[in-house]
Amino acid sequence: MNTGLDIELSFNNLLQGIGVPPEISHILWLPLPMLLVLSVALIGVLVTVWLERKISAAAQQRIGPEYAGALGILQPMADGLKLLVKEDIIPAKADNLLFTVGPVLVLVPVILSWLIIPFGQNLLISNVGIGIFLWIALSSIQPIGLLMSGYASNNKYSLLGGLRAAAQSISYEIPLALAVLAIVMMSNSLSTIDIVNQQNTVGFFSWNIWRQPIGFLIFWICALAECERLPFDLPEAEEELVAGYQTEYAGMKFALFYLGSYINLVLSSLLVSILYLGGWGFPIPIEWLTNILGETANAPVVQIITASIGIVMTVFKTFLLVFLAILLRWTTPRVRIDQLLDLGWKFLLPIALVNLLFTAALKLAFPIAFGG
């Protein structure tokens, strides 16, 4: 099997080659993963915000941003700069500590979840054995930040918005976890690397979307609800609750909510591509490439080509899903809160349970096709 590129090993070997001791090279490596994660996440947000504006404009037959840079590509940076320099207002009777910690609790778990995202066999920050459930555990922290923000604002609209946001997040986490459990059952692993490898045995037809079409739909719907995207953006519904838990926030504290929402959207799209669309896998088996080049799978040229293809395929699948999410925002009506909770508890939860049991039955009946 092609083991791909190991970034940490290559970095350490490079520094040690110029005389840096192994201990120092390891210390120098430690901050780089988080800087890399932050950079990738922020670039993903800038691209997604620009796509949101341009796609919504196209859907409504408008031009969209075009003056801030070529095709308006600098508009997201202008938005960020505006939020950065705006006055940070804290209501007089708000709880200052909780008011400040709330947005941080919403954003930090989302950024930490990027540590388990693989762009290639070794192109990830941390290959922990329980990577996919580490993400679920981190995402479960978010409702605490939402409740904290709504309560600390000392505003009834913010409190109602925080309660509804937390209820929505908790309602859709359970069917989402059950959909992930079906994938884990087929892959016999909680590692994102193993889940992708299990899908890339025969190319396109071994992707999990063909074996888990119901699970794919459940996961995608729950991911949209977790990201508070239309038709599930009730926590931020201006017509009903002013701006939900964000009502009293301004400046950079509001920007943290905004940033967390878009980072979460890109992260959720990445996870869908990893769990159901083969991750970095190319639709054509990589063995065909090695036969054409006449090289072994571990040859440096093959490793570089496969690593590059892996990054391109992961990003392509991710932004295809981001495009779909943006299109859904501008073409679907918002649901009511009772419809939203009924969909989660009365519809998606039972279907996710049946899908899990059905997957277990198929695993026993057809072990070759379902990871027995």
Side-chain angles (χ1 to χ4, degrees):
M1 181 182 291
N2 180 22
T3 57
L5 296 175
D6 191 328
I7 300 176
E8 182 176 359
L9 181 62
S10 301
F11 179 83
N12 288 334
N13 288 341
L14 177 65
L15 291 184
Q16 291 169 31
I18 60 176
V20 178
E23 298 80 7
I24 302 299
S25 64
H26 181 67
I27 291 172
L28 292 174
W29 164 259
L30 290 177
L32 291 181
M34 280 310 299
L35 289 175
L36 184 63
V37 163
L38 281 172
S39 301
V40 172
L42 289 174
I43 291 171
V45 168
L46 292 175
V47 173
T48 304
V49 171
W50 179 79
L51 284 173
E52 179 99 67
R53 290 172 176 268
K54 298 300 281 191
I55 293 169
S56 63
Q60 299 174 349
Q61 295 184 337
R62 296 184 287 107
I63 295 173
E66 60 174 348
Y67 295 110
L71 299 176
I73 59 174
L74 297 180
Q75 190 62 51
M77 297 182 68
D79 296 339
L81 184 62
K82 178 193 74 173
L83 289 169
L84 184 64
V85 299
K86 285 188 73 172
E87 183 180 1
D88 184 15
I89 300 172
I90 298 179
K93 295 186 179 181
D95 187 310
N96 288 1
L97 177 61
L98 297 182
F99 192 82
T100 303
V101 172
V104 176
L105 274 182
V106 171
L107 178 64
V108 170
V110 178
I111 294 177
L112 290 177
S113 299
W114 281 69
L115 294 173
I116 63 160
I117 299 297
F119 290 87
Q121 183 73 24
N122 282 312
L123 294 174
L124 82 165
I125 305 302
S126 177
N127 183 16
V128 292
I130 55 168
I132 197 63
F133 272 92
L134 176 62
W135 164 66
I136 292 176
L138 287 170
S139 66
S140 66
I141 298 173
Q142 197 173 34
I144 300 173
L146 300 177
L147 275 172
M148 193 179 291
S149 303
Y151 172 78
S153 297
N154 195 27
N155 177 315
K156 60 182 179 182
Y157 296 108
S158 297
L159 179 59
L160 287 172
L163 289 169
R164 281 173 42 153
Q168 174 174 324
S169 182
I170 293 168
S171 299
Y172 284 84
E173 271 181 11
I174 300 173
L176 183 144
L178 291 173
V180 171
L181 196 57
I183 295 291
V184 169
M185 188 183 295
M186 290 197 310
S187 305
N188 300 310
S189 175
L190 295 169
S191 167
T192 49
I193 294 287
D194 294 340
I195 289 171
V196 175
N197 283 334
Q198 185 260 348
Q199 294 178 77
N200 289 323
T201 52
V202 291
F204 178 70
F205 293 104
S206 59
W207 291 357
N208 281 334
I209 190 172
W210 308 118
R211 289 176 288 183
Q212 284 287 315
I214 303 299
F216 168 76
L217 290 174
I218 292 171
F219 190 97
W220 182 238
I221 292 170
C222 292
L224 290 176
E226 288 282 313
C227 297
E228 299 173 2
R229 303 284 302 180
L230 263 165
F232 307 111
D233 70 334
L234 286 175
E236 301 165 13
E238 292 87 353
E239 294 86 352
E240 299 175 59
L241 295 177
V242 187
Y245 56 86
Q246 304 175 4
T247 300
E248 300 292 349
Y249 282 89
M252 275 310 295
K253 289 190 179 70
F254 172 79
L256 293 181
F257 287 120
Y258 189 79
L259 198 61
S261 173
Y262 276 98
I263 292 178
N264 205 8
L265 175 61
V266 179
L267 174 69
S268 298
S269 300
L270 271 168
L271 286 164
V272 172
S273 71
I274 288 164
L275 295 175
Y276 296 96
L277 303 179
W280 66 80
F282 197 61
I284 301 171
I286 204 66
E287 286 74 16
W288 293 14
L289 175 64
T290 58
N291 292 335
I292 292 171
L293 295 175
E295 298 278 358
T296 62
N298 291 322
V301 63
V302 175
Q303 288 190 354
I304 292 171
I305 292 173
T306 53
S308 302
I309 290 175
I311 293 172
V312 170
M313 290 306 301
T314 305
V315 172
F316 173 76
K317 294 170 186 176
T318 298
F319 277 97
L320 190 63
L321 291 163
V322 168
F323 171 78
L324 178 61
I326 293 171
L327 207 58
L328 282 171
R329 175 178 179 179
W330 298 98
T331 53
T332 54
R334 179 181 295 127
V335 298
R336 298 194 312 265
I337 184 65
D338 60 315
Q339 295 171 331
L340 181 142
L341 294 176
D342 283 350
L343 177 65
W345 290 106
K346 296 182 180 179
F347 190 76
L348 291 181
L349 180 58
I351 289 179
L353 283 168
V354 171
N355 180 67
L356 183 61
L357 294 173
F358 191 58
T359 302
L362 290 173
K363 184 180 173 70
L364 294 174
F366 306 100
I368 296 176
F370 289 87

